[in-house]
Amino acid sequence: MASVRREEADPLPGAANIRARYRRILRFAAWHLAATWWFELFLPRIGLLIIAERTRAKRMRRFAQRFRVLAVDLGGLMIKVGQFLSSRLDILPPEVTKELEGLQDEVPPVPFPAIRALAEAELGAPLDQVFASVEQTPIAAASLGQAHRAQLLSTTAADTGLESVVLKVQRPGIDAIVDVDLAALRKVGGWLSHVRPVANRADMPALVEEFAQTSLEEIDYMHEAANAERFAVDFADDDRVDVPDVVWERSTRRVLTLEDVTAIKITDSPALLAAGIDPALVAPVFASVMFDQLFTNGFFHADPHPGNIFVTPVKDSSAEHPWKLTFIDFGMMGEITPSTRSGLRKLLIAAALRDGKGLVSAISDVGVLVPSADTVELERAMTHLFARFGGMGFAELREVDPREFRDFAVEFGDVVRALPFQVPENFLLIIRAMSLTSGVCSSLEPRFNLWDSVEPYAAQLLRDERGNFVQDVARQVLDTAGVALSLPNRLDGLLTQIEDGSLPVAIPRLERQVGRLERTVQRSGSALVFGALLIAGSVVRADDTVLGNVLMIASVVPLLQGLWAGRRSP
């Protein structure tokens, strides 16, 4: 949950407001989709790519600013969408992610009378008969609910062993808001499914449905309570992690009562230092705990932002660290199937070993590359990437000469863009979790190197899967033997082709470059003629209307020719 602002939200949106909300979301999406089509698809096709590139940073920043205003004003799932966008450092420009990164702290609270009414209706009794006391000022407010500190009655405290608790209550009317937001997002997802560059990368309707399922689960507090207990079981024997107990007697679908475990916010470095805790030591432990969730347990916290993780000092001198990581807010959890988890483990091991070919194979296994993709060039790109940048942390990467990144982009950018990548449905939460993990670790230690945590973890995975590793080696030996046995026949066939002059030689990169050059020349010429006719027509039209109209109409011909040149495949 996020810290509280002074303003208070309208707790009960009416039907008219719901309809207006739906229309406002669609208007916002339609306008920015149209602008993106114009600048990123249309202008480059007629040879005016320079305009799109020159205005891109400003347009991205303006989009993020407008979306931030929309999300803060509407709340609901729009906040969740903004939080997700802010975590996509891998695909979105910094102009967008930086503008949206503070969204989690901008949710106004609902007035306490509305919260009291909902809680009493859910619990079936006045609050003063259920709790010894409830603080009216919330300690946190999120887009779907807010939390208040409370004290249990002595009888309940004796049964549960708890006194101080946190009462989490849904925002009144949130069910209707979630329904209309999902309806709008489904509509936008349908639009995006008809945009070829987007459709080639992801099944947008399927991703929206995954987001919808996660959102509907998040407003069911009984589901969250079950998640908390399952998470606690996973780490029951791990002294690094703590989880709040659930007070089931005081919990319903829309009200959740948990043990109060408030401690030091994980990114509050001054408070950590004051407690004698070195933030630089917290980062690798946090990364390791998140790796355990993703690669071992298969059940992970998908919203590990700083507000959901505390560092709790402990007095046990036998513990390896005099503190624990305390997780809260289990509404957004992810689950990884055994097959996907196996692929992710292979990906982690390949990354740790700087194995470009193995990394590409693992990416294909987890479904990020379509099965028909030609990965030879991508393997070469990954091998080159590891050779130059492998093992560097974010701080070290910032010190690399930008020209090296440009050189890599020039050599391999077209390879990566041309491959049919896709976003599997269950990857949204994985990407979010890892993006937030990286951000938290970098906040704790600016020079934190994720590789330092990846390598020992990958080594442990290799030891754990020694049996599978031996099988893989045996399989590779058999494959190699098969290739060796077929080699004489293959060499004989190759020599025959050379003698007949029928050996095909393909240089994909050169062919692509020549094709792009031809199309660029065609588009540039078309754009020049189009602009000349259009301007000439507008000038002449003042004195000769007929001739001016003819020239302006004639400008459509080179425009269409330029568009056709842009549509031709490489």
Side-chain angles (χ1 to χ4, degrees):
M1 284 194 173
S3 59
V4 178
R5 295 175 65 195
R6 293 180 182 177
E7 297 89 341
E8 292 186 334
D10 177 11
L12 298 171
N17 289 339
I18 290 292
R19 289 192 295 271
R21 178 188 186 91
Y22 179 79
R23 290 194 295 268
R24 184 175 174 187
I25 294 172
L26 292 188
R27 279 199 305 269
F28 179 91
W31 168 258
H32 287 283
L33 281 175
T36 299
W37 175 84
W38 175 263
F39 282 100
E40 302 298 338
L41 297 178
F42 179 75
L43 292 184
R45 285 181 177 178
I46 61 172
L48 299 177
L49 176 62
I50 189 171
I51 295 178
E53 292 177 339
R54 210 176 269 173
T55 61
R56 185 171 293 130
K58 184 178 179 181
R59 285 186 288 109
M60 291 294 101
R61 190 178 300 109
R62 188 163 58 240
F63 161 77
Q65 290 169 347
R66 289 174 177 171
F67 184 85
R68 185 192 188 106
V69 171
L70 178 79
V72 172
D73 190 25
L74 295 182
L77 294 187
M78 293 301 102
I79 293 285
K80 294 293 181 184
V81 173
Q83 289 175 341
F84 175 74
L85 293 176
S86 72
S87 70
R88 292 308 303 268
L89 304 176
D90 53 334
I91 61 171
L92 293 176
E95 291 84 5
V96 173
T97 58
K98 193 165 187 64
E99 187 66 35
L100 297 178
E101 64 185 3
L103 263 178
Q104 65 185 39
D105 295 322
E106 294 193 7
V107 187
V110 174
F112 186 70
I115 291 294
R116 173 189 286 274
L118 190 149
E120 291 180 344
E122 285 290 309
L123 297 174
L127 285 185
D128 56 9
Q129 294 181 16
V130 180
F131 295 95
S133 64
V134 178
E135 294 183 5
Q136 296 194 17
T137 302
I139 58 173
S143 53
L144 305 182
Q146 63 190 52
H148 297 256
R149 279 200 175 93
Q151 296 289 320
L152 291 176
L153 293 172
S154 57
T155 53
T156 310
D159 292 338
T160 61
L162 303 174
E163 293 184 3
S164 299
V165 294
V166 170
L167 178 65
K168 186 174 177 181
V169 184
Q170 277 187 13
R171 299 174 79 88
I174 194 63
D175 288 338
I177 290 175
V178 167
D179 287 344
V180 74
D181 286 358
L182 289 177
L185 290 174
R186 288 184 176 107
K187 176 70 75 173
V188 175
W191 292 345
L192 289 172
S193 67
H194 296 293
V195 179
R196 185 175 299 174
V198 177
N200 289 343
R201 300 295 187 194
D203 183 347
M204 289 307 300
L207 291 178
V208 171
E209 288 309 314
E210 182 186 4
F211 181 76
Q213 179 181 351
T214 302
S215 301
L216 293 173
E217 290 176 352
E218 197 168 357
I219 60 174
D220 182 352
Y221 284 169
M222 297 303 285
H223 185 81
E224 178 176 346
N227 286 341
E229 290 211 335
R230 179 178 173 184
F231 191 86
V233 170
D234 283 346
F235 288 97
D237 299 323
D238 193 328
D239 60 6
R240 302 171 301 170
V241 177
D242 198 15
V243 180
D245 289 332
V246 178
V247 183
W248 288 98
E249 300 89 334
R250 298 292 179 263
S251 299
T252 70
R253 194 182 74 83
R254 297 200 288 175
V255 173
L256 178 62
T257 305
L258 298 163
E259 176 188 4
D260 188 355
V261 292
T262 306
I264 304 170
K265 186 177 179 180
I266 190 170
T267 53
D268 189 349
S269 294
L272 291 174
L273 292 171
I277 301 171
D278 185 354
L281 298 179
V282 176
V285 175
F286 174 60
S288 178
V289 168
M290 291 303 300
F291 287 153
D292 280 343
Q293 296 172 47
L294 285 161
F295 302 114
T296 302
N297 302 339
F299 182 66
F300 63 95
H301 199 301
D303 196 21
H305 66 73
N308 283 340
I309 306 151
F310 296 120
V311 178
T312 306
V314 296
K315 297 179 180 179
D316 184 2
S317 58
S318 64
E320 182 180 357
H321 302 289
W323 44 266
K324 288 188 175 185
L325 294 173
T326 302
F327 287 77
I328 63 170
D329 196 349
F330 298 93
M332 187 184 294
M333 303 294 290
E335 191 160 5
I336 306 175
T337 63
S339 60
T340 301
R341 188 159 70 248
S342 175
L344 287 174
R345 289 159 76 101
K346 290 179 182 177
L347 191 150
L348 180 64
I349 292 170
L353 297 176
R354 318 290 196 269
D355 179 6
K357 185 174 182 179
L359 184 69
V360 173
S361 175
I363 290 173
S364 298
D365 287 348
V366 296
V368 175
L369 277 175
V370 299
S372 60
D374 182 4
T375 59
V376 174
E377 284 294 301
L378 182 61
E379 290 172 3
R380 193 169 72 86
M382 292 299 101
T383 301
H384 180 90
L385 184 70
F386 278 133
R388 177 60 189 93
F389 306 113
M392 290 187 177
F394 292 112
E396 294 172 296
L397 287 172
R398 284 195 291 267
E399 296 172 3
V400 174
D401 188 338
R403 287 175 295 184
E404 292 196 46
F405 293 116
R406 285 198 296 269
D407 291 343
F408 180 85
V410 168
E411 185 172 1
F412 296 108
D414 289 326
V415 172
V416 175
R417 283 190 293 270
L419 283 170
F421 287 99
Q422 59 184 358
V423 183
E425 293 177 30
N426 61 345
F427 258 52
L428 275 179
L429 295 181
I430 297 174
I431 293 170
R432 174 177 175 79
M434 291 310 299
S435 296
L436 289 172
T437 299
S438 177
V440 168
C441 290
S442 297
S443 297
L444 288 165
E445 171 53 70
R447 298 190 67 84
F448 176 77
N449 189 338
L450 196 62
W451 293 105
D452 293 339
S453 294
V454 167
E455 287 181 328
Y457 196 89
Q460 181 61 46
L461 289 179
L462 278 172
R463 288 193 293 271
D464 293 344
E465 297 190 347
R466 187 175 289 112
N468 292 335
F469 180 72
V470 171
Q471 293 176 9
D472 289 343
V473 170
R475 191 178 300 110
Q476 289 180 16
V477 169
L478 291 175
D479 290 343
T480 303
V483 171
L485 290 174
S486 64
L487 191 57
N489 291 334
R490 295 176 66 182
L491 285 175
D492 184 60
L494 178 63
L495 291 173
T496 300
Q497 284 185 304
I498 294 174
E499 291 171 354
D500 294 343
S502 60
L503 178 67
V505 179
I507 309 177
R509 290 177 57 204
L510 180 59
E511 292 172 356
R512 285 197 297 269
Q513 290 174 356
V514 170
R516 285 199 304 274
L517 181 60
E518 290 177 349
R519 289 192 301 280
T520 300
V521 171
Q522 292 175 0
R523 288 198 302 268
S524 299
S526 299
L528 183 62
V529 176
F530 163 68
L533 289 174
L534 187 63
I535 294 171
S538 62
V539 172
V540 171
R541 194 169 183 273
D543 297 321
D544 190 332
T545 303
V546 176
L547 179 58
N549 288 338
V550 169
L551 290 173
M552 293 177 73
I553 293 171
S555 70
V556 173
V557 175
L559 173 61
L560 293 176
Q561 195 276 335
L563 289 174
W564 173 253
R567 288 177 60 87
R568 289 171 57 192
S569 58

